[in-house]
Amino acid sequence: MDTSKVIKFDDVPLSKFHVKMTGITFAAHFTDGFSLGVIGIALTVITPQMGLSPFWQGLIGSSALLGLFLGSLILGWVSDYYGRKKIFMFNFVLIAIATALQFFVQTPEQLFILRIIIGIGLGGDYSVGHTMLAEFLPRKHRGAILGSFSVIWTFGYVLASFVGMFLHSTLGDSWRWLLVSAFPLALFVLIYRMGSPESPRWLLRQGRTEEAMAVVKKYLGDNVVLDDEKTEQQMGTFSDLFSKKLITRTLFNCIFFMCLVIPYFAIYTFLPDILKIMGLAENFTTNMLLNALLILGALLGIWWTIKFTRRGFLINSFIFLSIALFTLGMLPDSSKMLMVITFAAFTLVMSAVSNLVGVFPAESFPTDVRSSGVGLATAASRLGAAVGTFLLPMSIANLGMTYTLLWLTGTLVVGTLVSIAWAPETKSLTLSEASSINKAG
C-alpha cells in the first residue's frame, strides 16, 4: 500500500458500493413507508366489511407500530451481539412472508397478528439498516444520506395513497390487494440484500480485525484504514445505554423521536376522518395536496440538514410545530382558509424535521451498542406512536377535535424542552467523535 495515499475510513469518497448499500437500505425504508401507509386507506374499506368498532380500528391501525416497538428493541440488541448482516437479511424474510399472508385473513385478529409480525421486521430494519449504513458512510455525506431516509419513507407512504385509490376503484376486494401490494417490494429488497458484507466497525469491536480489514479492502480499497475505532475487542451491553456516559443521549433520542412521531402517525393515519371533522374536505383537495407537501417537506429537510446545525434545525422545528398545532386546535370552524394554511405549514415542517430521526440516533451511540441504541430510540417512538394511533379515534369521539389536537400539541412541547436541554451538535464529526459527545453542543 502506498502510505502517502492512505485514506481514513470516515473520509473515503463515495463509491459504487456506498450507492448500492444506500439503495438497498432506502428500498427497505420505502417499503416501510408503503406498508404503514396502506393500512389507513385499507381501514376505510375493512371497517364496514368487518364491522370494526373504534377500538378495533385503533388496534389494527397501531398494530404494525406495536410490532415496530418489539422489533426495534429486540433485533437491534441481537445485532450488536451477533452481527448486523444476519438481521439485515432476517428482517425481510419476516416482512415478505407476513405481507403475502395478509391476502388470506378472515378476521380482525388475524390481520392484527400479521401486522405485528410485519412491524417486527420493519422495526429490526430501522435499527440495523440505519446502523449498517451509518457505519459505512463517510462523514461528509452521512447527514444528508441518513436524513434522506425520511424522503424515501415519505414517497412510499404517499404512493400507498395513489395505489389505494386505484385499487379501490378497480377491484372489489380492494383492501386485500392493497395490503399484499407491498409484497413485491419486500421480495425485491430481500433478493438484493443477499451477499451484503458485515459492518467492519462491528467486526473490529469484536476483535476480528483481519475480517474487518478484508471487508474494507474488498469494498473500499487497499489504501483505506479504520483508524478512528478502538481495535481491542469490546462487547457492549444493553445496560450501557443507561450508564452515566450514555444516559443523556439515550433519553434524548427516545424522547425527541417519540414526540415527533406521536402526532405524525396519529394525524396522518386517520387523515381523511380528521379533515372531514374539521370541515376541510369539501373545499380543499386535501389528500393529494397534503401528500405533495409531505414530499416537498422531506426534500426540504435534506437541504436544511446540510445547511443548518442539527441542534438548531430540531429545536426551531419543534417550536414551530407546537405553535402551529396549538393554533389549529384553537381556530374556530369558520376560519377554513387559515386552517388550511396552518395545516399545510405544519405538514411541511413536520415532514422536513422528520429527516433528523434517521440522523441523530445513528450518530449518538458507540459501535458496540449502536444498534441497541438506535433500536431503543425507534422502539420508544413506535410505542408512543402505537399508543397515540390507538387512542386517536376514541379521543376524537369522546373529547372532540380541539382537545385531541391540544394533547398532541403537548407532546411537541415536551420534545421542544428535551431538545433544548439535551440535543447534541454532531454535524461534521466522524462517527466516533459524534458518538462520544456527552452534552449539548
Side-chain angles (χ1 to χ4, degrees):
M1 180 189 301
D2 184 353
T3 56
S4 65
K5 296 182 179 179
V6 167
I7 303 174
K8 294 181 180 179
F9 190 71
D10 258 302
D11 297 321
V12 68
L14 279 180
S15 64
K16 291 182 179 179
F17 170 73
H18 289 122
V19 172
K20 178 184 176 182
M21 288 299 296
T22 300
I24 58 178
T25 309
F26 276 10
H29 227 53
F30 181 91
T31 305
D32 172 30
F34 187 90
S35 297
L36 294 180
V38 296
I39 192 61
I41 304 163
L43 277 173
T44 62
V45 183
I46 297 172
T47 297
Q49 284 192 10
M50 291 190 175
L52 299 182
S53 64
F55 173 84
W56 269 105
Q57 289 180 49
L59 204 59
I60 292 175
S62 62
S63 54
L65 296 172
L66 179 58
L68 271 155
F69 163 75
L70 297 171
S72 300
L73 196 62
I74 296 170
L75 295 180
W77 171 77
V78 169
S79 76
D80 277 332
Y81 274 85
Y82 298 105
R84 320 292 195 218
K85 180 180 176 179
K86 296 180 180 68
I87 305 303
F88 201 55
M89 291 293 298
F90 174 73
N91 295 332
F92 269 82
V93 173
L94 275 185
I95 294 168
I97 293 173
T99 298
L101 290 176
Q102 288 179 112
F103 187 84
F104 304 101
V105 299
Q106 299 297 323
T107 66
E109 292 84 357
Q110 292 172 352
L111 182 57
F112 174 71
I113 291 170
L114 288 176
R115 297 293 297 177
I116 286 181
I117 294 173
I118 291 170
I120 289 172
L122 293 174
D125 206 68
Y126 260 94
S127 54
V128 179
H130 281 73
T131 298
M132 190 89 152
L133 194 55
E135 290 178 352
F136 274 111
L137 288 173
R139 59 177 154 178
K140 181 179 179 181
H141 304 283
R142 192 176 61 237
I145 292 177
L146 292 178
S148 299
F149 272 119
S150 178
V151 180
I152 303 302
W153 187 94
T154 303
F155 271 103
Y157 195 79
V158 170
L159 179 63
S161 296
F162 288 98
V163 174
M165 288 189 298
F166 173 75
L167 291 178
H168 185 54
S169 63
T170 58
L171 297 171
D173 225 1
S174 59
W175 65 269
R176 295 183 186 276
W177 293 99
L178 179 58
L179 293 179
V180 82
S181 63
F183 174 73
L185 297 172
L187 188 61
F188 170 84
V189 174
L190 179 61
I191 292 172
Y192 275 86
R193 284 192 173 185
M194 293 177 180
S196 297
E198 183 57 88
S199 164
R201 292 183 189 271
W202 181 83
L203 289 169
L204 202 62
R205 295 296 283 233
Q206 309 309 304
R208 296 159 63 177
T209 307
E210 290 186 5
E211 293 177 64
M213 292 312 303
V215 171
V216 171
K217 289 180 179 180
K218 179 177 180 179
Y219 293 98
L220 298 176
D222 292 336
N223 60 335
V224 179
V225 294
L226 275 164
D227 66 340
D228 67 331
E229 291 277 350
K230 295 178 182 178
T231 55
E232 73 270 14
Q233 182 174 356
Q234 182 167 338
M235 178 69 74
T237 64
F238 192 81
S239 62
D240 288 345
L241 296 174
F242 303 95
S243 65
K244 183 177 180 181
K245 178 182 177 182
L246 295 179
I247 184 64
T248 298
R249 275 174 277 172
T250 300
L251 290 175
F252 161 68
N253 280 283
C254 289
I255 297 172
F256 107 83
F257 202 164
M258 181 185 294
C259 290
L260 274 180
V261 301
I262 286 175
Y264 191 109
F265 280 105
I267 290 172
Y268 295 105
T269 297
F270 297 100
L271 184 61
D273 293 334
I274 290 174
L275 293 170
K276 184 177 180 181
I277 292 170
M278 293 171 64
L280 297 178
E282 292 183 359
N283 51 26
F284 183 50
T285 55
T286 51
N287 209 359
M288 290 304 99
L289 181 56
L290 288 174
N291 280 330
L293 287 170
L294 284 172
I295 292 175
L296 177 60
L299 292 171
L300 279 174
I302 297 177
W303 169 242
W304 290 344
T305 301
I306 297 170
K307 182 175 177 61
F308 303 125
T309 64
R310 308 269 202 265
R311 176 176 164 82
F313 181 19
L314 182 67
I315 292 172
N316 289 320
S317 295
F318 261 127
I319 292 172
F320 179 88
L321 292 171
S322 300
I323 295 171
L325 198 58
F326 177 80
T327 301
L328 200 60
M330 299 305 294
L331 283 173
D333 293 341
S334 58
S335 303
K336 301 300 183 187
M337 183 55 66
L338 191 53
M339 279 187 181
V340 168
I341 294 171
T342 305
F343 204 178
F346 175 87
T347 298
L348 191 74
V349 175
M350 173 62 83
S351 184
V353 73
S354 293
N355 286 28
L356 292 180
V357 305
V359 180
F360 267 122
E363 291 183 339
S364 294
F365 300 101
T367 299
D368 41 298
V369 291
R370 183 168 291 121
S371 274
S372 294
V374 174
L376 179 61
T378 304
S381 74
R382 268 35 189 182
L383 178 61
V387 172
T389 303
F390 170 69
L391 291 176
L392 191 80
M394 292 181 285
S395 176
I396 293 175
N398 293 288
L399 300 178
M401 182 58 68
T402 295
Y403 284 106
T404 298
L405 293 180
L406 289 180
W407 71 256
L408 288 173
T409 300
T411 66
L412 294 171
V413 172
V414 172
T416 303
L417 298 175
V418 167
S419 298
I420 291 172
W422 291 334
E425 184 48 63
T426 58
K427 190 174 184 179
S428 301
L429 301 179
T430 67
L431 200 57
S432 293
E433 290 169 344
S435 63
S436 65
I437 293 176
N438 288 312
K439 60 182 179 179

